[in-house]
Amino acid sequence: MRLIQSGPRNTKIVIVGEAPGANEDTTGEPFIGGSGMVLNKMLESAGIPRSQCFITNICHVRPEKNDFS
């Protein structure tokens, strides 16, 4: 299992997603697809550098066909 997460572990801001998507599986970087673009805009508008956030997922493996059942 490959953990897809980034950022400092000793930060005050932790962002947790559901599971990696296709882009995350390919690159090993969390929140870089469409959700990542939205996240980046929200962080930017709040004046929070993404590099100051620890970003991870509850599930660290992308479910086959995104089936969580």
Side-chain angles (χ1 to χ4, degrees), residues 24-55:
E24 290 80 5
D25 263 351
T26 302
T27 64
E29 188 73 22
F31 281 89
I32 60 163
S35 296
M37 288 184 226
V38 172
L39 173 64
N40 290 341
K41 287 180 184 179
M42 291 189 316
L43 289 171
E44 183 179 330
S45 69
I48 301 170
R50 180 181 168 125
S51 62
Q52 297 301 308
C53 303
F54 180 70
I55 305 173

Side-chain angles (χ1 to χ4, degrees), residues 49-67:
R50 180 181 168 125
S51 62
Q52 297 301 308
C53 303
F54 180 70
I55 305 173
T56 189
N57 291 293
I58 292 172
C59 296
H60 294 287
V61 177
R62 184 171 179 233
E64 188 175 333
K65 299 180 184 177
N66 281 340
D67 182 6

